[in-house]
């Protein structure tokens, strides 16, 4: 990449030098520009070129931020949602036992744009700190947050008001816990903006390390398999006796194929942590049978490998 950048720089220097030394024809009408005018045209052309994808938006306003999935075409540069936009935001929280007293400050000045809040509780614990307007529903303790979200898409979202710009924010009750080094939480405003872009999706955990990307090679991703998982087992495990490993799927690829979902491109965006936002338009792009198949698959037990494939 450094060699390519150096070659490009030499070409640009030669271009500017030639432009300064003589008049150039710039279109089919042979309109003559002065060196100063030609320099302005050149600078405008450079502003429209992609310089880097693994840099921040401030370094490249065309492609900066794409590598780590924190910018997409048609994303608004504003940091607030105007009331005139009539943005519809639905919130769903998968709850086990943590307090939700963080929610009012988390919603902040987007509170008035939140159309609905659903708390799906699974561990038989009282829900503490939920907003007064939240609807609370108790679900069987299976499939953890992945099952809760699939259930929400199949059974709750179809009955809620939506439009072309509406989004759903999927959260967990453990939002205030520390996360792994190299990552940081994406704030709610950014999640709403990103999920309102042409991409229609935002991950709740952003990458800090510049060399990492949110995009994975599909075939490599599909080969991922997990044979055991012990994290959180003391907090969430029901003792249902259901084995972690599935008899029907043994990898991400197996799981995705079992859903009969739309085919994926060679590079796909991956999100870890089970916190994300998506446009309702994107959600409804998949036929209802896909979400129902996911919900059924995640109903097999509490600590199951299918949930880790669904997360990705």
């Amino acid at each position: 990449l450094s060699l390519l950048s150096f070659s490009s720089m030499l070409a640009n220097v030669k271009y500017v030098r030639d432009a300064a030394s003589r008049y150039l024809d710039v279109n089919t009408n042979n309109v003559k520009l002065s060196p100063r005018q030609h320099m302005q045209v050149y600078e405008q052309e450079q502003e429209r070129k992609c310089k880097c994808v693994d840099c921040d938006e401030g370094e490249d306003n065309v492609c900066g931020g794409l590598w780590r999935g924190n910018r997409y075409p048609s994303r608004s540069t504003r940091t607030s949602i105007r009331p005139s936009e009539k943005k519809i935001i639905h919130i769903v929280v998968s709850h086990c036992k943590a307090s939700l007293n963080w929610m009012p400050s988390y919603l902040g000045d987007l509170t008035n744009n939140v159309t609905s809040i659903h708390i799906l509780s699974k561990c038989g614990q009282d829900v503490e700190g939920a907003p007064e307007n939240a609807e609370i529903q108790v679900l069987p303790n299976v499939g953890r947050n992945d099952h809760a979200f699939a259930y929400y898409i199949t059974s709750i979202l179809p009955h809620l008001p939506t439009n072309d710009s509406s989004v759903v924010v999927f959260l967990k009750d453990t939002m205030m816990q520390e996360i792994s080094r190299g990552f940081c939480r994406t704030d709610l405003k950014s999640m709403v903006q990103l999920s309102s872009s042409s991409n229609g999706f935002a991950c709740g955990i952003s990458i800090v390390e510049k060399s990492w990307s949110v995009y994975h090679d599909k075939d490599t991703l599909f080969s991922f398999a997990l044979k055991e998982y012990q994290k959180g087992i003391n907090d969430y495990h029901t003792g249902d006796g259901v084995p972690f490993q599935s008899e029907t799927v043994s990898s991400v690829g197996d799981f995705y194929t079992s859903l009969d979902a739309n085919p994926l491109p060679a590079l796909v965006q991956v999100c870890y942590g089970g916190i994300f936002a998506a446009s309702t338009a994107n959600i409804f792009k998949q036929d209802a049978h896909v979400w129902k198949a996911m919900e059924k698959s995640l109903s097999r037990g509490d600590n199951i490998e299918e949930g880790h494939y669904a997360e990705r």
Side-chain angles (χ1 to χ4, degrees):
L1 285 177
S2 298
L3 288 174
L4 291 174
S5 300
F6 182 69
S7 299
S8 176
M9 181 189 71
L10 291 178
N12 290 341
V13 170
K14 182 177 184 299
Y15 183 91
V16 174
R17 184 190 63 203
D18 292 345
S21 64
R22 57 186 170 81
Y23 291 101
L24 294 177
D25 293 343
V26 295
N27 56 31
T28 55
N29 294 325
N30 295 321
V31 176
K32 299 288 187 177
L33 297 180
S34 68
R36 174 179 291 184
Q37 291 172 324
H38 208 292
M39 178 65 75
Q40 291 174 342
V41 172
Y42 169 78
E43 290 175 348
Q44 292 172 357
E45 290 175 348
Q46 293 306 301
E47 289 177 356
R48 294 192 292 267
K49 287 185 177 180
C50 182
K51 303 177 184 67
C52 56
V53 295
D54 59 343
C55 57
D56 294 326
E57 186 174 347
E59 299 175 65
D60 182 353
N61 60 10
V62 178
C63 296
L66 297 179
W67 178 258
R68 285 177 283 167
N70 56 21
R71 180 169 182 253
Y72 295 96
S74 79
R75 173 190 171 187
S76 172
T77 57
R78 289 182 285 105
T79 58
S80 61
I81 305 298
R82 294 173 181 167
S84 59
E85 287 186 90
K86 297 181 180 179
K87 174 70 67 178
I88 295 177
I89 303 174
H90 297 294
I91 305 285
V92 55
V93 182
S94 178
H95 172 266
C96 180
K97 65 177 186 177
S99 171
L100 303 181
N101 56 15
W102 50 267
M103 288 197 68
S105 60
Y106 179 79
L107 298 179
D109 57 9
L110 288 183
T111 299
N112 293 334
N113 290 94
V114 175
T115 305
S116 72
I117 300 175
H118 285 80
I119 313 296
L120 304 180
S121 188
K122 313 196 95 180
C123 301
Q125 303 292 319
D126 292 337
V127 179
E128 299 179 358
E132 292 183 0
N133 61 333
E135 295 188 28
I136 301 174
Q137 184 174 351
V138 177
L139 297 181
N141 195 5
V142 294
R144 302 191 179 180
N145 64 286
D146 308 290
H147 170 269
F149 296 157
Y151 171 84
Y152 175 87
I153 292 173
T154 62
S155 303
I156 297 177
L157 184 58
H159 305 290
L160 298 178
T162 58
N163 59 26
D164 292 340
S165 64
S166 55
V167 301
V168 179
V169 182
F170 298 82
L171 304 173
K172 297 195 294 187
D173 61 346
T174 54
M175 283 286 294
M176 295 300 104
Q177 291 183 357
E178 292 186 6
I179 58 177
S180 302
R181 185 178 180 181
F183 299 90
C184 65
R185 294 203 184 279
T186 310
D187 65 88
L188 180 60
K189 287 182 181 179
S190 296
M191 289 178 66
V192 170
Q193 284 186 313
L194 285 169
S195 58
S196 300
S197 72
S198 59
N199 189 57
F201 179 83
C203 189
I205 294 180
S206 299
I207 297 174
V208 176
E209 173 57 52
K210 283 191 173 184
S211 63
W212 300 348
S213 175
V214 298
Y215 294 96
H216 288 23
D217 172 74
K218 184 195 70 173
D219 293 338
T220 303
L221 174 65
F222 273 16
S223 68
F224 174 79
L226 193 64
K227 301 308 177 186
E228 64 177 1
Y229 186 77
Q230 298 298 322
K231 183 179 178 180
I233 196 167
N234 294 329
D235 294 328
Y236 307 115
H237 191 50
T238 60
D240 57 12
V242 176
F244 177 80
Q245 289 187 264
S246 168
E247 294 182 354
T248 57
V249 300
S250 58
S251 66
V252 172
D254 287 346
F255 180 75
Y256 194 83
T257 300
S258 72
L259 302 178
D260 190 28
N262 296 334
L264 293 177
L267 289 177
V268 294
Q269 183 176 356
V270 174
C271 180
Y272 298 94
I275 300 169
F276 56 95
S279 67
T280 54
N282 253 20
I283 294 172
F284 294 140
K285 278 182 182 178
Q286 293 286 358
D287 190 84
H289 82 270
V290 174
W291 302 116
K292 290 178 180 177
M294 179 179 288
E295 180 188 358
K296 181 179 179 181
S297 177
L298 296 171
S299 300
R300 182 173 68 84
D302 168 44
N303 185 29
I304 55 176
E305 65 175 306
E306 293 94 325
H308 298 273
Y309 306 150
E311 174 191 344
R312 288 154 174 81

PDB file of all heavy atoms in Angstrom, residues 24 57 59 69 89 104 130 164 206 211 244 263:
ATOM      1  N   LEU A  24      -4.528  23.515 -20.805  1.00  0.00           N
ATOM      2  CA  LEU A  24      -4.971  22.164 -21.143  1.00  0.00           C
ATOM      3  C   LEU A  24      -6.412  22.186 -21.603  1.00  0.00           C
ATOM      4  O   LEU A  24      -7.233  22.971 -21.099  1.00  0.00           O
ATOM      5  CB  LEU A  24      -4.851  21.239 -19.913  1.00  0.00           C
ATOM      6  CG  LEU A  24      -3.432  20.974 -19.417  1.00  0.00           C
ATOM      7  CD1 LEU A  24      -3.512  20.110 -18.151  1.00  0.00           C
ATOM      8  CD2 LEU A  24      -2.591  20.292 -20.470  1.00  0.00           C
ATOM      9  N   GLU A  57     -13.168   9.333   9.487  1.00  0.00           N
ATOM     10  CA  GLU A  57     -13.915  10.167   8.553  1.00  0.00           C
ATOM     11  C   GLU A  57     -13.266  11.538   8.390  1.00  0.00           C
ATOM     12  O   GLU A  57     -13.294  12.129   7.313  1.00  0.00           O
ATOM     13  CB  GLU A  57     -15.349  10.316   9.052  1.00  0.00           C
ATOM     14  CG  GLU A  57     -16.275  11.049   8.101  1.00  0.00           C
ATOM     15  CD  GLU A  57     -17.699  11.042   8.590  1.00  0.00           C
ATOM     16  OE1 GLU A  57     -18.007  10.262   9.528  1.00  0.00           O
ATOM     17  OE2 GLU A  57     -18.509  11.816   8.067  1.00  0.00           O
ATOM     18  N   GLU A  59     -10.162  12.209   8.250  1.00  0.00           N
ATOM     19  CA  GLU A  59      -9.000  12.118   7.379  1.00  0.00           C
ATOM     20  C   GLU A  59      -9.396  11.947   5.918  1.00  0.00           C
ATOM     21  O   GLU A  59      -8.641  12.317   5.016  1.00  0.00           O
ATOM     22  CB  GLU A  59      -8.111  10.950   7.808  1.00  0.00           C
ATOM     23  CG  GLU A  59      -7.555  11.075   9.221  1.00  0.00           C
ATOM     24  CD  GLU A  59      -6.782   9.834   9.633  1.00  0.00           C
ATOM     25  OE1 GLU A  59      -5.740   9.563   9.014  1.00  0.00           O
ATOM     26  OE2 GLU A  59      -7.233   9.132  10.556  1.00  0.00           O
ATOM     27  N   GLY A  69     -16.666   0.121   9.771  1.00  0.00           N
ATOM     28  CA  GLY A  69     -18.120   0.102   9.789  1.00  0.00           C
ATOM     29  C   GLY A  69     -18.765   1.227  10.561  1.00  0.00           C
ATOM     30  O   GLY A  69     -19.882   1.071  11.041  1.00  0.00           O
ATOM     31  N   ILE A  89     -38.214   5.101  16.432  1.00  0.00           N
ATOM     32  CA  ILE A  89     -37.206   4.250  17.049  1.00  0.00           C
ATOM     33  C   ILE A  89     -37.895   3.279  18.002  1.00  0.00           C
ATOM     34  O   ILE A  89     -38.611   3.702  18.916  1.00  0.00           O
ATOM     35  CB  ILE A  89     -36.170   5.077  17.823  1.00  0.00           C
ATOM     36  CG1 ILE A  89     -35.497   6.107  16.903  1.00  0.00           C
ATOM     37  CG2 ILE A  89     -35.119   4.165  18.452  1.00  0.00           C
ATOM     38  CD1 ILE A  89     -34.568   7.065  17.636  1.00  0.00           C
ATOM     39  N   PRO A 104     -32.737   5.646  31.144  1.00  0.00           N
ATOM     40  CA  PRO A 104     -33.076   7.055  30.906  1.00  0.00           C
ATOM     41  C   PRO A 104     -31.901   7.880  30.401  1.00  0.00           C
ATOM     42  O   PRO A 104     -32.039   8.650  29.437  1.00  0.00           O
ATOM     43  CB  PRO A 104     -33.548   7.527  32.288  1.00  0.00           C
ATOM     44  CG  PRO A 104     -34.067   6.295  32.942  1.00  0.00           C
ATOM     45  CD  PRO A 104     -33.146   5.203  32.497  1.00  0.00           C
ATOM     46  N   ALA A 130     -36.752  -0.192  34.755  1.00  0.00           N
ATOM     47  CA  ALA A 130     -37.286  -0.032  33.399  1.00  0.00           C
ATOM     48  C   ALA A 130     -38.079   1.269  33.288  1.00  0.00           C
ATOM     49  O   ALA A 130     -38.737   1.681  34.246  1.00  0.00           O
ATOM     50  CB  ALA A 130     -38.171  -1.216  33.035  1.00  0.00           C
ATOM     51  N   ASP A 164     -40.418   4.117   6.285  1.00  0.00           N
ATOM     52  CA  ASP A 164     -39.189   3.890   5.533  1.00  0.00           C
ATOM     53  C   ASP A 164     -37.932   4.223   6.321  1.00  0.00           C
ATOM     54  O   ASP A 164     -36.839   3.762   5.973  1.00  0.00           O
ATOM     55  CB  ASP A 164     -39.206   4.721   4.241  1.00  0.00           C
ATOM     56  CG  ASP A 164     -40.256   4.224   3.256  1.00  0.00           C
ATOM     57  OD1 ASP A 164     -40.684   3.064   3.395  1.00  0.00           O
ATOM     58  OD2 ASP A 164     -40.654   5.006   2.373  1.00  0.00           O
ATOM     59  N   SER A 206     -17.935  -0.875  18.672  1.00  0.00           N
ATOM     60  CA  SER A 206     -17.065  -0.368  17.619  1.00  0.00           C
ATOM     61  C   SER A 206     -15.635  -0.844  17.836  1.00  0.00           C
ATOM     62  O   SER A 206     -15.204  -1.078  18.968  1.00  0.00           O
ATOM     63  CB  SER A 206     -17.093   1.165  17.604  1.00  0.00           C
ATOM     64  OG  SER A 206     -18.403   1.647  17.355  1.00  0.00           O
ATOM     65  N   SER A 211      -6.238  -1.760  12.586  1.00  0.00           N
ATOM     66  CA  SER A 211      -5.922  -2.858  11.674  1.00  0.00           C
ATOM     67  C   SER A 211      -7.055  -3.883  11.583  1.00  0.00           C
ATOM     68  O   SER A 211      -7.026  -4.751  10.721  1.00  0.00           O
ATOM     69  CB  SER A 211      -4.634  -3.555  12.115  1.00  0.00           C
ATOM     70  OG  SER A 211      -4.795  -4.155  13.396  1.00  0.00           O
ATOM     71  N   PHE A 244     -24.640 -28.548  24.792  1.00  0.00           N
ATOM     72  CA  PHE A 244     -24.249 -27.344  24.066  1.00  0.00           C
ATOM     73  C   PHE A 244     -24.233 -27.593  22.561  1.00  0.00           C
ATOM     74  O   PHE A 244     -24.729 -26.776  21.774  1.00  0.00           O
ATOM     75  CB  PHE A 244     -22.864 -26.885  24.533  1.00  0.00           C
ATOM     76  CG  PHE A 244     -22.334 -25.688  23.791  1.00  0.00           C
ATOM     77  CD1 PHE A 244     -22.760 -24.413  24.103  1.00  0.00           C
ATOM     78  CD2 PHE A 244     -21.392 -25.853  22.771  1.00  0.00           C
ATOM     79  CE1 PHE A 244     -22.276 -23.308  23.415  1.00  0.00           C
ATOM     80  CE2 PHE A 244     -20.905 -24.751  22.082  1.00  0.00           C
ATOM     81  CZ  PHE A 244     -21.343 -23.484  22.411  1.00  0.00           C
ATOM     82  N   PRO A 263     -28.955 -15.228  -0.029  1.00  0.00           N
ATOM     83  CA  PRO A 263     -27.510 -15.487  -0.152  1.00  0.00           C
ATOM     84  C   PRO A 263     -26.698 -14.266   0.272  1.00  0.00           C
ATOM     85  O   PRO A 263     -27.156 -13.122   0.161  1.00  0.00           O
ATOM     86  CB  PRO A 263     -27.330 -15.800  -1.638  1.00  0.00           C
ATOM     87  CG  PRO A 263     -28.522 -15.178  -2.317  1.00  0.00           C
ATOM     88  CD  PRO A 263     -29.645 -15.283  -1.338  1.00  0.00           C
TER      89      PRO A 263
END
